[in-house]
Structures are given as C-alpha cells and as structure tokens.
Amino acid sequence: MARLGEGDKRWIVEDRPDGTNVHNWHWAETDCLEWSRNFLTNLLANKTLIDGEGNLKIRTKKIEKLEGEAYVNIRKGKIIPGYELNLVVSWEGEVKETDGSSVMKIEGTVEFPYIADENADEDPEVKVTVKDEGPIGKRLKDAFVVKGKPFVLEQVKAYVNAMANGGPAKEEGEVKKVVKKPAGAGDVALPPPTAVDEKAKAVVAKKEKKKEGFKTITMTEKFSCRGKDLFEILMDENRWKGFTQSNARISKEVGGEFSIFDGSVTGTTVELQEGKLIVQKWRFGNWPDGLHSTVRITFEEPQSGVTVINLTHTDVPEEDRYGNATVVENTERGWRDLIFHRIRAVFGFGI
C-alpha cells in the first residue's frame, strides 16, 4: 500500500505546468437558474386552464419555488445542458353557480420534484395538491389533473427543449459559428459551417442527449458482509483513510460535502438510506469546470451475510480538461481496484 498522502496517480489531479489547452478544449459555461425562473414564469404563470366548463374556473397563479441548479456548457460549439430543479406552481380553482355567482375558491399547488437533464426524454413526476380536501376541493383537484396536468407538462417540455438548444447562451450569442479568417491572419483558414436543417438537428440532438461526450459506468460487486457494514465504510472518513491510504473528509449528512483521495475527488451527498442507498454528486479535479457526475450505489442482501452492491456512475466525461480521453477507463478502474478490491482486502469481505 502507498503511504498516507501518496494516493494512486490515476485518481490524483495535478496542474498542467504549460497550461496548454490540448485538442482545443474550449469551455464556456452560462448560469441559467435566473433565466429558467423567468422562462418558466412566462410559460406557467397566470394561465387560464378552465373557464366556465362544468361551472368551474381554474388558473395558474405564479412560480412559488424554483430550486436547484441549471447551466449550459458550450464545447466547440456543442451544447451540453445541465439542470436539476424542484418547481412548484400555485393554482386557484373556483366553483360557480349557474348564474355565475361564486360558490367557493380553493387554492392548490402543482409540483415537479425533479426536472433533470438526465431524464429529458421522460415526463417528470407531477404532484397536484389542494388545500381543502373536501368534496369541492377534490372536484377542483380532479379537474386540474385532467385539464391542467397535460398543460404544465407541455410547458416543462418547452423548457427542456429550450435548454437543449442553448437556453440563454443561444439568446446571448455565446454559441458562435466558426468563420473564415482573412488571409494573412496567421491561422489556418477554416471553411464556413454547412447549413443544417434545424428540425433534423433537433432530432439528432435529442437522440444523442446525455450520450455525446459522456458515459455511464455500471458495476455489480459481491461482498461477504452485511449491507450496513459496507454503507458505514463508504460513509466514514476514518475507514476511507484506512483502506485507501489517503486523506478523506466525509460528512454523513444529506447535503453535506466530501473530499476523498487527497482532494482529487469532491462532491456532495444527495440521498442516504442506511444500509440501502447512497446517491452523491462526484467531481474530479481534472474535469472541465462545472461538470458533476452522479453516483448511485444500492445495497442488496440476497442471503444472510452476503451483500451485492450495484453501482451506477452517470455523466462521466470522456475527456478531462486537457483532452485526455482516459477518464472513463480510469474511473472504472478506480472503483474496482482502489475501492472495492481494497475494501475486500482490508476488511476481509472477500467471497
């Protein structure tokens, strides 16, 4: 084993001394959270959904909450959106008599707990609630589900499509076309871009969503121990220091930060279920700015004393900030050799 502070070089990031941008790896990142708030407000606020049908009137009111992150990365003119949002929109329903007089007004909310780029091709979960659960409230809620839910889903899809096309980066002209330089400029002249049908381009972009430039690592490993034992090892900084022989700092709270392998890997914990589930955001120091991957580890006990770990590591970039195309290979090897194999060796959990 290496001595403390001498972690495996494959997972340790060092500054490149010449500062060279290898393979022309240019990144431009735009924060899109405020733009997302304005965009979704225009789509979802103050919209009439039912106006008199069945003596009902339902309209959306405003964006009550938009939390999370949203950004667009541009690499070589290629758009790479990233977002994880929790959206809550308030709505108001009213029941009227046949003469048009109001019987009761009731308020409610429609929530999208998780709008994310990784699920761009799927309808996000929608939760419709009403403050009054009585007969009138239930009637209005059912009406919203029938008429309002398809509407709000369509608006969220419009937002997803806008992000796929660059969001504010496109609006502000940050996605720049390559043009031919004047003769004598000192650089090799490049031909002008070929015109591409926008509709065909959108179809291709959708098909390549989350595939172009990123990979997913999946692994299944078996250990001779309880799931609780493995969970505690992976969430305890002293045990990390022991089996990796490198410095580690790990918060055991959801939302807490961690730093492992002498700071080469950092991130935050998103979800924890003791002995069952760990979900974290991981970032390696040599990745392009703004990129975070998602690690999901589940623990299953098919029989007493045996635990099976299922690892899914999504959004792993194919290249680091220097253009080296070994990130996926090294990350997979790191999980296998530097984490799982060493846990077996140090704690005696081998099968």
mmCIF file of all heavy atoms in Angstrom, residues 91 93 106-110 127-134 136-142:
data_model
loop_
_atom_site.group_PDB
_atom_site.id
_atom_site.type_symbol
_atom_site.label_atom_id
_atom_site.label_comp_id
_atom_site.label_asym_id
_atom_site.label_seq_id
_atom_site.Cartn_x
_atom_site.Cartn_y
_atom_site.Cartn_z
ATOM 1 N N TRP A 91 -51.890 27.361 -7.951
ATOM 2 C CA TRP A 91 -53.063 27.492 -8.804
ATOM 3 C C TRP A 91 -54.294 27.773 -7.957
ATOM 4 O O TRP A 91 -54.304 27.553 -6.744
ATOM 5 C CB TRP A 91 -53.272 26.261 -9.680
ATOM 6 C CG TRP A 91 -53.497 24.964 -8.955
ATOM 7 C CD1 TRP A 91 -52.546 24.092 -8.525
ATOM 8 C CD2 TRP A 91 -54.757 24.382 -8.588
ATOM 9 N NE1 TRP A 91 -53.110 23.006 -7.912
ATOM 10 C CE2 TRP A 91 -54.469 23.146 -7.938
ATOM 11 C CE3 TRP A 91 -56.080 24.752 -8.749
ATOM 12 C CZ2 TRP A 91 -55.458 22.310 -7.444
ATOM 13 C CZ3 TRP A 91 -57.083 23.923 -8.265
ATOM 14 C CH2 TRP A 91 -56.771 22.720 -7.622
ATOM 15 N N GLY A 93 -58.680 27.499 -7.966
ATOM 16 C CA GLY A 93 -59.888 26.968 -8.571
ATOM 17 C C GLY A 93 -61.124 27.597 -7.957
ATOM 18 O O GLY A 93 -61.137 27.963 -6.781
ATOM 19 N N ILE A 106 -60.737 27.825 -4.004
ATOM 20 C CA ILE A 106 -59.773 26.965 -3.313
ATOM 21 C C ILE A 106 -58.429 27.056 -4.033
ATOM 22 O O ILE A 106 -58.376 27.092 -5.267
ATOM 23 C CB ILE A 106 -60.267 25.504 -3.271
ATOM 24 C CG1 ILE A 106 -61.508 25.399 -2.386
ATOM 25 C CG2 ILE A 106 -59.170 24.569 -2.751
ATOM 26 C CD1 ILE A 106 -62.093 24.011 -2.320
ATOM 27 N N GLU A 107 -57.352 27.078 -3.247
ATOM 28 C CA GLU A 107 -56.011 27.156 -3.811
ATOM 29 C C GLU A 107 -55.301 25.807 -3.712
ATOM 30 O O GLU A 107 -55.633 24.976 -2.856
ATOM 31 C CB GLU A 107 -55.194 28.232 -3.093
ATOM 32 C CG GLU A 107 -55.732 29.639 -3.298
ATOM 33 C CD GLU A 107 -54.843 30.673 -2.638
ATOM 34 O OE1 GLU A 107 -54.042 30.285 -1.753
ATOM 35 O OE2 GLU A 107 -54.935 31.856 -3.007
ATOM 36 N N GLY A 108 -54.331 25.631 -4.577
ATOM 37 C CA GLY A 108 -53.538 24.401 -4.567
ATOM 38 C C GLY A 108 -52.180 24.640 -5.197
ATOM 39 O O GLY A 108 -51.832 25.768 -5.569
ATOM 40 N N THR A 109 -51.415 23.575 -5.310
ATOM 41 C CA THR A 109 -50.101 23.665 -5.950
ATOM 42 C C THR A 109 -49.901 22.481 -6.883
ATOM 43 O O THR A 109 -50.520 21.428 -6.709
ATOM 44 C CB THR A 109 -48.953 23.670 -4.915
ATOM 45 O OG1 THR A 109 -48.974 22.446 -4.180
ATOM 46 C CG2 THR A 109 -49.055 24.851 -3.979
ATOM 47 N N VAL A 110 -49.032 22.680 -7.859
ATOM 48 C CA VAL A 110 -48.568 21.579 -8.698
ATOM 49 C C VAL A 110 -47.048 21.599 -8.610
ATOM 50 O O VAL A 110 -46.415 22.636 -8.825
ATOM 51 C CB VAL A 110 -49.062 21.715 -10.155
ATOM 52 C CG1 VAL A 110 -48.705 23.069 -10.746
ATOM 53 C CG2 VAL A 110 -48.482 20.591 -11.025
ATOM 54 N N LYS A 127 -46.922 16.296 -8.950
ATOM 55 C CA LYS A 127 -47.751 16.153 -7.759
ATOM 56 C C LYS A 127 -48.737 17.322 -7.684
ATOM 57 O O LYS A 127 -48.314 18.476 -7.607
ATOM 58 C CB LYS A 127 -46.882 16.124 -6.502
ATOM 59 C CG LYS A 127 -45.953 14.934 -6.393
ATOM 60 C CD LYS A 127 -45.150 14.997 -5.100
ATOM 61 C CE LYS A 127 -44.219 13.791 -4.962
ATOM 62 N NZ LYS A 127 -43.422 13.870 -3.703
ATOM 63 N N VAL A 128 -50.026 17.016 -7.712
ATOM 64 C CA VAL A 128 -51.062 18.041 -7.626
ATOM 65 C C VAL A 128 -51.673 17.983 -6.234
ATOM 66 O O VAL A 128 -52.105 16.909 -5.781
ATOM 67 C CB VAL A 128 -52.149 17.833 -8.697
ATOM 68 C CG1 VAL A 128 -53.225 18.909 -8.577
ATOM 69 C CG2 VAL A 128 -51.543 17.841 -10.091
ATOM 70 N N THR A 129 -51.704 19.113 -5.538
ATOM 71 C CA THR A 129 -52.278 19.167 -4.206
ATOM 72 C C THR A 129 -53.320 20.277 -4.129
ATOM 73 O O THR A 129 -53.308 21.215 -4.935
ATOM 74 C CB THR A 129 -51.201 19.426 -3.136
ATOM 75 O OG1 THR A 129 -50.594 20.702 -3.374
ATOM 76 C CG2 THR A 129 -50.120 18.356 -3.179
ATOM 77 N N VAL A 130 -54.209 20.166 -3.146
ATOM 78 C CA VAL A 130 -55.234 21.179 -2.907
ATOM 79 C C VAL A 130 -55.310 21.412 -1.409
ATOM 80 O O VAL A 130 -55.148 20.478 -0.601
ATOM 81 C CB VAL A 130 -56.598 20.731 -3.481
ATOM 82 C CG1 VAL A 130 -57.122 19.504 -2.767
ATOM 83 C CG2 VAL A 130 -57.606 21.868 -3.444
ATOM 84 N N LYS A 131 -55.530 22.659 -0.987
ATOM 85 C CA LYS A 131 -55.515 22.986 0.431
ATOM 86 C C LYS A 131 -56.760 22.482 1.158
ATOM 87 O O LYS A 131 -56.711 22.191 2.348
ATOM 88 C CB LYS A 131 -55.363 24.496 0.615
ATOM 89 C CG LYS A 131 -53.997 25.019 0.192
ATOM 90 C CD LYS A 131 -53.849 26.500 0.456
ATOM 91 C CE LYS A 131 -52.452 26.986 0.062
ATOM 92 N NZ LYS A 131 -52.286 28.445 0.297
ATOM 93 N N ASP A 132 -57.876 22.414 0.459
ATOM 94 C CA ASP A 132 -59.123 21.928 1.050
ATOM 95 C C ASP A 132 -59.447 20.570 0.454
ATOM 96 O O ASP A 132 -59.739 20.465 -0.742
ATOM 97 C CB ASP A 132 -60.259 22.924 0.771
ATOM 98 C CG ASP A 132 -61.553 22.555 1.492
ATOM 99 O OD1 ASP A 132 -61.727 21.374 1.822
ATOM 100 O OD2 ASP A 132 -62.382 23.460 1.723
ATOM 101 N N GLU A 133 -59.417 19.519 1.277
ATOM 102 C CA GLU A 133 -59.628 18.163 0.774
ATOM 103 C C GLU A 133 -61.096 17.746 0.778
ATOM 104 O O GLU A 133 -61.410 16.570 0.639
ATOM 105 C CB GLU A 133 -58.813 17.163 1.615
ATOM 106 C CG GLU A 133 -57.314 17.297 1.481
ATOM 107 C CD GLU A 133 -56.792 16.839 0.120
ATOM 108 O OE1 GLU A 133 -57.567 16.223 -0.630
ATOM 109 O OE2 GLU A 133 -55.606 17.108 -0.181
ATOM 110 N N GLY A 134 -61.991 18.712 0.942
ATOM 111 C CA GLY A 134 -63.419 18.405 0.931
ATOM 112 C C GLY A 134 -63.915 18.075 -0.469
ATOM 113 O O GLY A 134 -63.136 18.029 -1.431
ATOM 114 N N ILE A 136 -65.615 19.782 -2.715
ATOM 115 C CA ILE A 136 -65.342 20.796 -3.739
ATOM 116 C C ILE A 136 -63.857 20.812 -4.087
ATOM 117 O O ILE A 136 -63.469 20.902 -5.255
ATOM 118 C CB ILE A 136 -65.817 22.184 -3.266
ATOM 119 C CG1 ILE A 136 -67.350 22.205 -3.160
ATOM 120 C CG2 ILE A 136 -65.340 23.273 -4.236
ATOM 121 C CD1 ILE A 136 -67.923 23.518 -2.694
ATOM 122 N N GLY A 137 -63.029 20.719 -3.058
ATOM 123 C CA GLY A 137 -61.591 20.688 -3.308
ATOM 124 C C GLY A 137 -61.194 19.490 -4.149
ATOM 125 O O GLY A 137 -60.374 19.608 -5.067
ATOM 126 N N LYS A 138 -61.771 18.320 -3.850
ATOM 127 C CA LYS A 138 -61.476 17.126 -4.631
ATOM 128 C C LYS A 138 -61.936 17.290 -6.078
ATOM 129 O O LYS A 138 -61.248 16.857 -7.022
ATOM 130 C CB LYS A 138 -62.150 15.908 -4.005
ATOM 131 C CG LYS A 138 -61.802 14.587 -4.676
ATOM 132 C CD LYS A 138 -62.451 13.417 -3.963
ATOM 133 C CE LYS A 138 -61.976 12.092 -4.573
ATOM 134 N NZ LYS A 138 -62.207 12.004 -6.014
ATOM 135 N N ARG A 139 -63.090 17.921 -6.259
ATOM 136 C CA ARG A 139 -63.603 18.140 -7.618
ATOM 137 C C ARG A 139 -62.660 19.036 -8.422
ATOM 138 O O ARG A 139 -62.353 18.764 -9.584
ATOM 139 C CB ARG A 139 -64.990 18.763 -7.543
ATOM 140 C CG ARG A 139 -65.636 19.002 -8.898
ATOM 141 C CD ARG A 139 -66.969 19.687 -8.734
ATOM 142 N NE ARG A 139 -67.526 20.093 -10.014
ATOM 143 C CZ ARG A 139 -68.553 20.930 -10.147
ATOM 144 N NH1 ARG A 139 -69.139 21.431 -9.072
ATOM 145 N NH2 ARG A 139 -68.995 21.257 -11.348
ATOM 146 N N LEU A 140 -62.176 20.091 -7.776
ATOM 147 C CA LEU A 140 -61.260 21.006 -8.461
ATOM 148 C C LEU A 140 -59.908 20.334 -8.737
ATOM 149 O O LEU A 140 -59.315 20.519 -9.797
ATOM 150 C CB LEU A 140 -61.067 22.272 -7.629
ATOM 151 C CG LEU A 140 -62.254 23.232 -7.608
ATOM 152 C CD1 LEU A 140 -62.070 24.281 -6.517
ATOM 153 C CD2 LEU A 140 -62.430 23.898 -8.969
ATOM 154 N N LYS A 141 -59.447 19.549 -7.774
ATOM 155 C CA LYS A 141 -58.181 18.840 -7.970
ATOM 156 C C LYS A 141 -58.284 17.861 -9.136
ATOM 157 O O LYS A 141 -57.381 17.795 -9.987
ATOM 158 C CB LYS A 141 -57.793 18.097 -6.698
ATOM 159 C CG LYS A 141 -56.508 17.292 -6.815
ATOM 160 C CD LYS A 141 -56.199 16.559 -5.523
ATOM 161 C CE LYS A 141 -54.953 15.684 -5.675
ATOM 162 N NZ LYS A 141 -54.640 14.959 -4.422
ATOM 163 N N ASP A 142 -59.383 17.110 -9.190
ATOM 164 C CA ASP A 142 -59.570 16.155 -10.291
ATOM 165 C C ASP A 142 -59.624 16.884 -11.635
ATOM 166 O O ASP A 142 -59.080 16.401 -12.638
ATOM 167 C CB ASP A 142 -60.856 15.356 -10.081
ATOM 168 C CG ASP A 142 -60.745 14.388 -8.908
ATOM 169 O OD1 ASP A 142 -59.612 14.123 -8.469
ATOM 170 O OD2 ASP A 142 -61.799 13.915 -8.428
#
